[in-house]
């Protein structure tokens, strides 16, 4: 497969309904800040028990000094397998402390290399080589790179090697098609609204997976 469901602005009831339908088809679930603020830890627990043996990612998009990123991560560490932080905060007294905490607590660290929205071209993309170097030095489990700009994924995969996991959002409302990021070298495509706003989330997931397989056949890559 290679699909991560993004849950952002859903009620617990709706999120449970969707997970009930699509859990078997996805590799992971990424929970966004709106959901974390709106709901309690017991809501999160019920979500997690409804869909087990998946990669649960907290999309905190951390961007602070190391101490605060660690304290923030510590509050949710028990619920998640992975967390997302921005790479632009830098390493010294920043990502070094977070990476150490993740290492010691069995959490996977995912760094944003650049973003999927248009605004990423205004600043983030100009610093791409520096971001790549920071990712290389921190050596996290994974990075986020945009499905909307496959050439960026190619570049990161080519220069960082095959071990690091690449997670790519930007499919659907932001313009990318399912499978394009996988063809460029991503391991997972992150999809939110295309699934969560569909009248049939299950049908949407099945269509996305079929489209991914079609695209991968076209570009000559076996499904990871
Ligand atoms: P949609 O509804 O557009 O949701 O499929 C996309 C999900 O992915 C997140 N997102 C990003 N996360 N870097 C990230 O770390 C990005 O460039 C990026 N673009 C989108 C978004 O928060 C939502 O959960």
């Amino acid at each position: 497969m290679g699909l991560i469901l993004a849950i952002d602005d859903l009620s617990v009831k709706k999120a449970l309904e969707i997970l009930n339908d699509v859990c078997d088809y996805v590799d992971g679930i990424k929970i966004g800040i709106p959901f974390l603020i709106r709901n309690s830890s017991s809501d999160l627990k019920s979500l997690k028990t409804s869909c087990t043996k998946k990669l649960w990612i907290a999309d905190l998009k951390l961007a602070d000094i190391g101490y605060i990123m660690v304290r923030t991560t510590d509050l949710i560490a028990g619920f998640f397998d992975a967390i997302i932080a921005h790479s632009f905060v830098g390493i010294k007294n920043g990502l070094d402390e977070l990476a150490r905490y993740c290492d010691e607590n069995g959490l996977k660290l995912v760094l944003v290399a650049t973003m999927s929205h248009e605004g990423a071209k205004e600043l983030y993309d100009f610093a791409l080589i520096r971001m790549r170097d920071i990712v290389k030095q921190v050596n996290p489990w994974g990075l986020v790179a945009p499905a909307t700009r496959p050439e960026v994924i190619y570049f990161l995969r080519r220069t960082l090697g095959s071990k690091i996991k690449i997670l790519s959002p930007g499919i659907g409302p932001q313009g990318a098609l399912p499978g394009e990021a996988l063809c460029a070298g991503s391991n997972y495509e992150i999809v939110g609204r295309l699934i969560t706003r569909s009248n049939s989330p299950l049908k949407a997931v099945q269509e996305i997976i079929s489209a991914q397989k079609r695209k991968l056949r076209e570009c000559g890559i076996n499904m990871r």
Side-chain angles (χ1 to χ4, degrees):
M1 287 197 286
L3 181 60
I4 290 174
L5 169 67
I7 293 181
D8 289 302
D9 52 357
L10 298 178
S11 66
V12 179
K13 185 169 170 282
K14 184 73 184 163
L16 280 168
E17 274 170 25
I18 293 176
L19 273 183
N20 198 32
D21 285 348
V22 309
C23 178
D24 288 346
Y25 294 84
V26 299
D27 300 283
I29 297 99
K30 184 180 80 66
I31 303 290
I33 291 172
F35 191 91
L36 290 172
I37 292 176
R38 194 166 152 189
N39 300 294
S40 67
S41 51
S42 65
D43 291 328
L44 204 53
K45 241 184 228 160
S46 62
L47 223 60
K48 266 201 80 182
T49 46
S50 78
C51 183
T52 56
K53 296 186 188 143
K54 304 288 171 178
L55 183 70
W56 281 81
I57 306 169
D59 190 357
L60 297 171
K61 296 235 172 47
L62 292 167
D64 213 315
I65 58 170
Y67 173 75
I68 299 297
M69 292 196 289
V70 166
R71 301 285 11 111
T72 309
T73 305
D74 197 49
L75 291 171
I76 52 95
F79 295 97
F80 290 98
D81 306 301
I83 55 140
I84 298 180
H86 275 289
S87 48
F88 66 72
V89 295
I91 298 172
K92 210 169 173 191
N93 302 133
L95 295 173
D96 53 355
E97 293 177 17
L98 182 63
R100 198 175 320 120
Y101 173 89
C102 288
D103 226 29
E104 288 168 1
N105 289 277
L107 262 180
K108 293 175 165 65
L109 177 60
V110 180
L111 294 182
V112 178
T114 176
M115 296 187 72
S116 58
H117 66 307
E118 279 294 303
K121 294 177 188 163
E122 295 164 20
L123 179 67
Y124 230 143
D125 275 8
F126 288 109
L128 185 60
I129 291 175
R130 278 301 295 134
M131 297 303 163
R132 187 275 317 271
D133 291 344
I134 286 172
V135 171
K136 196 172 187 168
Q137 206 176 321
V138 174
N139 191 24
W141 174 82
L143 66 85
V144 179
T148 45
R149 297 195 300 295
E151 66 281 7
V152 172
I153 302 173
Y154 274 120
F155 167 74
L156 292 166
R157 175 59 78 207
R158 184 169 51 77
T159 59
L160 288 171
S162 59
K163 185 171 156 254
I164 193 161
K165 304 291 180 197
I166 301 184
L167 289 63
S168 294
I171 289 109
Q174 291 189 74
L177 296 172
E180 287 180 334
L182 297 178
C183 279
S186 293
N187 301 86
Y188 302 103
E189 292 183 331
I190 297 171
V191 183
R193 289 165 289 176
L194 203 56
I195 298 168
T196 58
R197 292 198 180 164
S198 162
N199 290 331
S200 170
L202 174 59
K203 197 159 162 250
V205 164
Q206 288 169 333
E207 283 172 3
I208 289 165
I209 292 171
S210 300
Q212 285 178 327
K213 286 181 178 164
R214 254 194 327 273
K215 199 82 195 166
L216 283 166
R217 269 197 306 275
E218 277 168 32
C219 70
I221 296 179
N222 290 325
M223 277 302 254
R224 274 171 282 255

